[in-house]
Amino acid sequence: MSQIPKCTLVPTRYLAGKDPRCFLSEVTDLPEDARVAVVHIPSYEAELVYEDTGAGVPSLLGVIAALTKCSGYSKIAALYADGCLSLAVALGNDLQLANVYEAPDFTTAEYFIFAVMKCLQLNPEVSVISLLNRPSAQEEMSLYRYFKGVETI
């Protein structure tokens, strides 16, 4: 299982003129010598602030970017790999959630997906979930039991 990336999403207007390290250290334990990087997400007027470990940008950035390829008003994009669920949800052009969860198995990943759906008061029966990687046949059937559709983008 890979380590969960240390990252947070900050509205662009809040980050202007401030040290991004402050925002990241508020949500995670950050070593003093940690390098912090920022990626601008113009479509949502947001900044992805993350610990730069040399492993590249967290997968959450790709999941957020994938929201533009999702169909419908409720856009749900997810990537489950290596015990980590990266999940982003937008309603129209408004980003509602972008987060990474430790999920040692697909059932746990589904738990987080449904908890987010409930929190945002979204009905999976009228929603399509878009996955960035192809699920196994069993995982896909499990999602189809709850969602209107499951697509791979």
Side-chain angles (χ1 to χ4, degrees), residues 2-9 24 35-42 46-66 79 81-82 84 86 98 100 132:
S2 67
Q3 183 178 359
I4 301 299
K6 295 179 179 181
C7 59
T8 189
L9 208 59
L24 189 56
R35 291 176 303 185
V36 175
V38 179
V39 175
H40 180 58
I41 306 169
E47 311 291 329
L48 180 65
V49 180
Y50 66 97
E51 180 183 12
D52 184 1
T53 62
V57 179
S59 60
L60 185 59
L61 182 63
V63 175
I64 294 168
L79 171 67
D82 301 322
C84 180
S86 297
V100 180
L132 275 70

Side-chain angles (χ1 to χ4, degrees), residues 9-92:
L9 208 59
V10 179
T12 299
R13 66 182 181 276
Y14 293 160
L15 190 62
K18 296 189 178 122
D19 181 5
R21 174 181 290 281
C22 294
F23 289 93
L24 189 56
S25 64
E26 285 182 17
V27 297
T28 187
D29 290 328
L30 194 63
E32 280 191 37
D33 62 343
R35 291 176 303 185
V36 175
V38 179
V39 175
H40 180 58
I41 306 169
S43 55
Y44 295 110
E45 290 298 314
E47 311 291 329
L48 180 65
V49 180
Y50 66 97
E51 180 183 12
D52 184 1
T53 62
V57 179
S59 60
L60 185 59
L61 182 63
V63 175
I64 294 168
L67 288 171
T68 61
K69 299 175 186 170
C70 296
S71 57
Y73 179 73
S74 300
K75 301 170 187 329
I76 306 155
L79 171 67
Y80 176 67
D82 301 322
C84 180
L85 171 69
S86 297
L87 181 64
V89 178
L91 297 178

